[in-house]
Amino acid sequence: MTQASQTSRSDLVGCPHCGKRNRISAAARGVARCGSCRGLLPWLTEATDADFDAVAVQSSLPVLLDLWAPWCGPCRMVAPGVERAAQQFAGRLKVVKVNVDHSPNTAARYQAQSIPLLLVLQDGEVVARQLGAVPPDALLRWVEGALPPAK
Ligand SMILES: [Zn+2]
């Protein structure tokens, strides 16, 4: 990769505790907290080949990586479970979606020949792998099993 692993992209995240909208940098470290009430925020963002290292590999939280593409029907089936994971594991997990059509290097790095491919990463290393569509409840159980225990 020749591009700098920096990104200025950010996401607007509504706080589930107080309703305030927070702007969270995609490459922020640590957990996402509400600037108003300090509550933990669900964190779902996107990355591309250009900023994958900054957003996902350098994350201090475990990352749920969703490798998907717009033409992939089963990818749409897993999307609700992925969004629920961001909410249920707020403060324990950062969810990063990567469109494999736009980010072939990241797709190749994690051998995403077939999608949807869900991975749990810690420091960029795969700690759990789920290939193919999975219902939301099963997805949440799978993520829970891959995460360090709640503090
Ligand atoms: Zn809040």
Side-chain angles (χ1 to χ4, degrees), residues 5 7 27-28 43 60 64 70 75 77 79 82 84 86-87 119 129 146 149:
S5 64
T7 185
W43 201 355
S60 54
L64 174 60
C75 294
M77 289 168 57
V82 169
R84 274 176 56 189
Q87 291 157 9
L119 301 171
R129 184 179 178 92

Side-chain angles (χ1 to χ4, degrees), residues 8-104:
S8 56
R9 232 165 12 80
S10 59
D11 301 280
L12 272 177
V13 181
C15 176
H17 313 286
C18 74
K20 181 183 163 64
R21 281 159 73 81
N22 290 263
R23 188 167 287 283
I24 304 293
S25 166
R29 307 287 175 85
V31 302
R33 281 188 188 278
C34 175
S36 180
C37 74
R38 308 303 297 162
L40 292 167
L41 297 175
W43 201 355
L44 191 155
T45 189
E46 295 174 15
T48 65
D49 283 349
D51 62 13
F52 184 79
D53 278 356
V55 174
V57 175
Q58 292 166 27
S59 169
S60 54
L61 285 178
V63 167
L64 174 60
L65 174 61
D66 178 10
L67 294 154
W68 72 286
W71 45 263
C72 162
C75 294
R76 284 192 288 275
M77 289 168 57
V78 302
V82 169
E83 284 166 25
R84 274 176 56 189
Q87 291 157 9
Q88 180 158 334
F89 303 111
R92 297 171 64 194
L93 183 71
K94 181 178 189 179
V95 178
V96 179
K97 294 176 73 96
V98 170
N99 180 332
V100 296
D101 286 353
H102 296 162
S103 298

